[in-house]
Amino acid sequence: MFNESEYFEKAAATRVRVLSEALPYIQQFAGRTIVVKYGGAAMKDSALKEKVIRDVVFMACVGLRPIVVHGGGPEINSWLDKLGIEPQFKNGLRVTDAATMDVVEMVLVGRVNKEIVSLINQAGGSAVGLCGKDASLIKARPADEEGFGFVGEVTSVDTSILETLVSNGHIPVVSSVAADETGQAYNINADTVAGEIAAALGAEKLILLTDTAGILRDYKDVSTLIPKLDIQEARKLMESGVVSGGMIPKVSCCVRSLAQGVRAAHIVDGRLPHALLLEIFTDAGIGSMLVASEFMA
């Protein structure tokens, strides 16, 4: 027979245990910058979206300094389809001609960014939307490889606007569009933007929300998840082909950010409810954690 009072006692005990487990992490990371790349299923599923937003607001409320960087691939594809423009990809990156660039900028800066800002504000946070053009946050240049069109790379990051916002209690939400010195707009991979911002700020953590469990030795087998690895192992996995396709830019940006001083980078399954809180505030964590050296904690 179902005992309601016993159920609620157990549920309350679980909440207390979770909060108690979170305390040392809250103390450790208070005042530290956490850069979150938000994308994938966590942006498409409304229930998951609500939980990610609450996680970000929770982080800010307990003294962490979250910065959200987002893409918006599915919504871009939806609008390209409406306009009769065929999306094209090469090595996991979107090929961006002039017509596609117009759509990318309108969707990322005009729709997706403002939706995330609005949701954070509704949840009790104070979000401010930006793209790379704002306050010259990000300077871009064309990608080295030919055939990508207006796909860009980050040449520099001016963190002053982010530091001003964060120090005044705001949560910056950054879309991955930036311009070169002539004002030409570029579409930059959002993982890359998140990594470069994390590096420029000397962030405590870079967290990439993805649609996979993390880095897998066999992409078909979740049990082959690699929970922790260092830069050297990550590079070997890319060279051997274990890391391939759309995971390449994710692991590459983690490696680059670690080499530039970010303390830890995480590739986390955004399909799991409250993935951010599970990764940051629990002993077990989830996903794959990359560190600069195997000797680091």
Side-chain angles (χ1 to χ4, degrees), residues 212-229 233 237 242-243 287-288:
T212 66
I215 300 174
L216 308 175
R217 292 197 182 277
D218 177 355
Y219 75 94
K220 297 177 182 176
D221 186 354
V222 178
S223 70
T224 64
L225 174 72
I226 305 171
K228 188 174 181 180
L229 64 162
E233 187 173 358
L237 291 173
V242 171
V243 170
S288 297

Side-chain angles (χ1 to χ4, degrees), residues 248-263:
I248 292 173
K250 298 183 190 302
V251 176
S252 295
C253 85
C254 288
V255 168
R256 279 179 56 84
S257 67
L258 292 168
Q260 295 177 78
V262 174
R263 289 187 58 82

Side-chain angles (χ1 to χ4, degrees), residues 6-273:
E6 185 179 335
Y7 170 80
F8 283 113
E9 282 178 17
K10 286 183 178 178
T14 299
R15 283 195 292 272
V16 169
R17 188 175 68 252
V18 169
L19 286 170
S20 179
E21 187 176 312
L23 177 59
Y25 296 102
I26 293 172
Q27 292 170 322
Q28 180 181 351
F29 299 136
R32 305 290 180 86
T33 299
I34 311 288
V35 177
V36 177
K37 188 275 179 161
Y38 176 38
M43 285 186 79
K44 292 178 280 185
D45 183 301
S46 58
L48 287 173
K49 185 183 293 185
E50 180 188 0
K51 289 175 173 61
V52 170
I53 298 303
R54 288 177 64 86
D55 286 1
V56 170
V57 173
F58 180 93
M59 289 160 61
C61 285
V62 298
L64 281 67
R65 295 157 59 121
I67 294 172
V68 178
V69 177
H70 69 86
E75 187 147 357
I76 292 169
N77 288 342
S78 174
W79 279 92
L80 289 174
D81 184 58
K82 290 176 185 177
L83 296 168
I85 302 171
E86 183 72 27
Q88 298 178 33
F89 292 88
K90 183 178 176 182
N91 297 336
L93 299 175
R94 183 184 298 278
V95 176
T96 309
D97 58 16
T100 302
M101 187 62 237
D102 286 344
V103 176
V104 167
E105 186 162 8
M106 286 189 288
V107 172
L108 290 189
V109 181
R111 279 184 65 87
V112 178
N113 186 271
K114 298 314 170 196
E115 182 194 15
I116 297 169
V117 166
S118 178
L119 289 170
I120 290 174
N121 291 342
Q122 288 174 44
S126 176
V128 177
L130 302 165
C131 74
K133 293 181 177 182
D134 293 303
S136 298
L137 169 58
I138 297 166
K139 281 281 190 277
R141 69 179 176 205
D144 286 338
E145 296 182 61
E146 291 188 9
F148 281 106
F150 295 108
V151 169
E153 294 178 348
V154 176
T155 59
S156 65
V157 178
D158 182 345
T159 61
S160 55
I161 184 66
L162 297 178
E163 290 165 346
T164 298
L165 289 170
V166 168
S167 65
N168 283 282
H170 302 297
I171 301 170
V173 179
V174 183
S175 61
S176 56
V177 171
D180 63 15
E181 292 179 354
T182 71
Q184 171 61 52
Y186 285 89
N187 175 28
I188 306 178
N189 180 274
D191 297 317
T192 302
V193 170
E196 294 298 320
I197 286 176
L201 289 166
E204 178 72 24
K205 290 181 180 292
L206 165 66
I207 302 177
L208 308 182
L209 290 176
T210 70
D211 287 348
T212 66
I215 300 174
L216 308 175
R217 292 197 182 277
D218 177 355
Y219 75 94
K220 297 177 182 176
D221 186 354
V222 178
S223 70
T224 64
L225 174 72
I226 305 171
K228 188 174 181 180
L229 64 162
D230 63 14
I231 286 176
Q232 290 74 23
E233 187 173 358
R235 285 177 173 150
K236 287 176 184 174
L237 291 173
M238 286 190 283
E239 289 165 6
S240 66
V242 171
V243 170
S244 60
M247 189 61 83
I248 292 173
K250 298 183 190 302
V251 176
S252 295
C253 85
C254 288
V255 168
R256 279 179 56 84
S257 67
L258 292 168
Q260 295 177 78
V262 174
R263 289 187 58 82
H266 305 256
I267 297 176
V268 173
D269 193 343
R271 298 170 299 181
L272 291 175

